[in-house]
Amino acid sequence: MSDATDAPGDRGRLDEFHQEVGKLRASGGRANPDRWVFRIGLILTIVGLAFTVVSFFLTGKPYDTEGGNLHQSNHIDLVVSAIFGLTLTFIGLVMITISSFKRFMRYWLVRLIYEYREQTDRVVGS
């Protein structure tokens, strides 16, 4: 790691720095929390769509198989279930959108920083 231009005391200071950092026992945190938000949003979207589709198809059967009577209480329960599914789907899609937007903005910011550094190196080098 050291070049011929390094001072003799630099290696000792670097070792001391590594020892001090080791004593801190600090964790680096989670690598990418946006990935978890994306996955949770995807799961919520799939579960919400499943609730909605199942409720829709069950609502299409208006008659009871035993007596042939129309049960409105069953329909109301299924409509509430479908609304719950649509809500889950909407929340999941919002989470996916926010996660994707944050990832895109992070990429854009890193690219902008890289271009500014490159431009500064050209200005300083000339």
Side-chain angles (χ1 to χ4, degrees), residues 10-67:
D10 286 346
R11 185 68 181 163
R13 288 189 336 207
L14 184 61
D15 290 336
E16 183 180 337
F17 175 73
H18 284 294
Q19 289 173 358
E20 291 295 323
V21 170
K23 289 179 188 177
L24 291 176
R25 297 181 189 260
S27 66
R30 296 191 302 185
N32 193 357
D34 286 337
R35 184 173 294 164
W36 286 103
V37 171
F38 183 82
R39 288 178 183 167
I40 291 171
L42 189 63
I43 290 170
L44 284 177
T45 303
I46 292 170
V47 169
L49 284 175
F51 261 95
T52 305
V53 169
V54 168
S55 297
F56 175 75
F57 283 119
L58 290 178
T59 307
K61 299 179 180 181
Y63 294 102
D64 187 12
T65 56
E66 294 175 7

Side-chain angles (χ1 to χ4, degrees), residues 58-110:
L58 290 178
T59 307
K61 299 179 180 181
Y63 294 102
D64 187 12
T65 56
E66 294 175 7
N69 296 328
L70 181 65
H71 291 284
Q72 286 217 323
S73 63
N74 291 344
H75 284 292
I76 292 172
D77 292 342
L78 291 173
V79 168
V80 169
S81 177
I83 291 172
F84 177 71
L86 288 174
T87 304
L88 283 180
T89 303
F90 179 74
I91 291 171
L93 289 174
V94 167
M95 290 174 73
I96 289 171
T97 304
I98 289 172
S99 175
S100 299
F101 184 71
K102 286 170 68 174
R103 193 170 32 192
F104 171 74
M105 293 305 287
R106 192 177 310 121
Y107 166 76
W108 179 78
L109 182 63
V110 168

